[in-house]
Amino acid sequence: MATCSALRGSFETNDEDAEQIRALTRYPDGSVKLRNPNIELMDQDILYHLALGSESHDLVEMFGDVKFVCMGGTPKRMEDFAHYIMQEIGYKIPTGTKLMDISQYSYRYCLYKVGPVLSVSHGMGPSSISILLHEIIKLMYHAKCKDPIFFRIGTCGGIGIEGGTVVISDNALDGMQDNNYAVATLGKLVKRPARLDKKLVRELQALAHSDDPYDTVTGTTMCTSDFYEGQGRLDGAFCEYTEADKMAFLKNLKEKHNVTNIEMEIIPFAALTHHAGIRAAVVCVALLDRLRGDQVATPKEVMNEWQLRPQILIARYIKKYLQNKGRISFDGHGSIAVKSPRRFKLVQQESQSIE
Ligand SMILES: O=P(O)(O)O[C@H]1O[C@H](CO)[C@@H](O)[C@H]1O
Ligand SMILES: O=c1cc[nH]c(=O)[nH]1
């Protein structure tokens, strides 16, 4: 860990290579190892915001088979995604039962499990997703999950793209165009690099179909901690800049930094998953083009259809992965090569459902 002095105050950075991270974050069998020596010394670990605990629940039994953690802002979207992915991977629950929100008594986040897929809401903004990520990464550890993959399925404002366009993020910047997640810790600013898995980005891009009735693009995503002034909107309760200032800011983001979209969680998502050695990707649909306005005025039914688009891409990935037992790779021509003809056989898992 290096200590640096910068104009904005002293901070510590933690830049490591993939091998170093792997050694720190995995046991030999691929299960998740925590970078916190305190946890294994504790009698129990209460995952307070998920309403789960390492003593009160058999986390290995409940979650040991999880391979994919999919998250998005709203409980409704993630409940819908749980039902959608259930249908897509052909997961069956006993007749007369229904999917249960496992974290319902947290009254914070929702959490559904569909075989190897967790579908969880993260709320809005860096703090909300950061709390969730700490607890979900600890859940992966307690449950002994092996090499889980995380996805954020979100919405965003586009810059110079049509509403309805799907953006796969290949880079993340914060509101100051910095590519780190900075958290004030014990009075010092600790910065962790916000890095996304480039291979996962290419694999997802290859799963966008040329006949999809919308574009899927790849680009840099800016993360803000506020929807209004933080994103240069003119329609917040306060505004102390002009429309020309806003346009110059957005155009500079696009032209100098290749920023394609703006949302509010990618920096902590990319930084905390990277620090935990977890492969992760962010796929968002643009609700509007910020060069054309600030208000989200698209009709609800249209927006609901748009919000399915990132889910469709992630479902294609999960299906492909399960069908080919994790062997997804490139054929060198931009499409996914199937290495094994064997189909994934869905085994009836423990029921996560109740009447
Ligand atoms: O649609 P979700 O995934 O909630 O994300 C986006 O929407 C919220 C703002 O409306 C922010 O949290 C932003 O990141
Ligand atoms: O403009 C937008 C739209 C959705 N989410 C955001 O954070 N910004």
Side-chain angles (χ1 to χ4, degrees), residues 71-74 77-78 122-126 152-157 222-224 226-227 231 233 262-266 283-285 287 296 307:
M71 53 185 78
T74 71
R77 185 187 313 146
M78 300 324 291
H122 58 58
M124 281 193 285
R152 177 171 128 68
I153 303 167
T155 65
C156 61
M222 185 173 92
C223 180
T224 67
D226 170 56
F227 184 81
Q231 298 187 5
R233 281 186 152 79
I262 310 177
E263 49 81 279
M264 297 176 61
E265 289 84 20
I266 192 170
V283 182
C284 290
V285 68
L287 299 183
V296 181
Q307 285 190 41

Side-chain angles (χ1 to χ4, degrees), residues 190-257:
V190 173
K191 289 187 164 200
R192 295 206 175 113
R195 300 232 181 88
L196 293 155
D197 188 301
K198 301 277 184 210
K199 184 164 174 265
L200 196 50
V201 169
R202 290 195 302 275
E203 289 168 351
L204 288 169
Q205 183 70 59
L207 287 169
H209 295 167
S210 53
D211 53 358
D212 285 337
Y214 47 85
D215 289 334
T216 299
V217 302
T218 300
T220 297
T221 299
M222 185 173 92
C223 180
T224 67
S225 52
D226 170 56
F227 184 81
Y228 289 98
E229 290 168 288
Q231 298 187 5
R233 281 186 152 79
L234 301 169
D235 60 346
F238 315 105
C239 183
E240 282 147 26
Y241 41 82
T242 65
E243 180 166 16
D245 295 336
K246 166 199 150 177
M247 293 306 283
F249 175 67
L250 293 181
K251 283 183 178 158
N252 182 59
L253 285 178
K254 176 105 197 152
E255 284 155 22
K256 278 234 179 77
H257 302 281

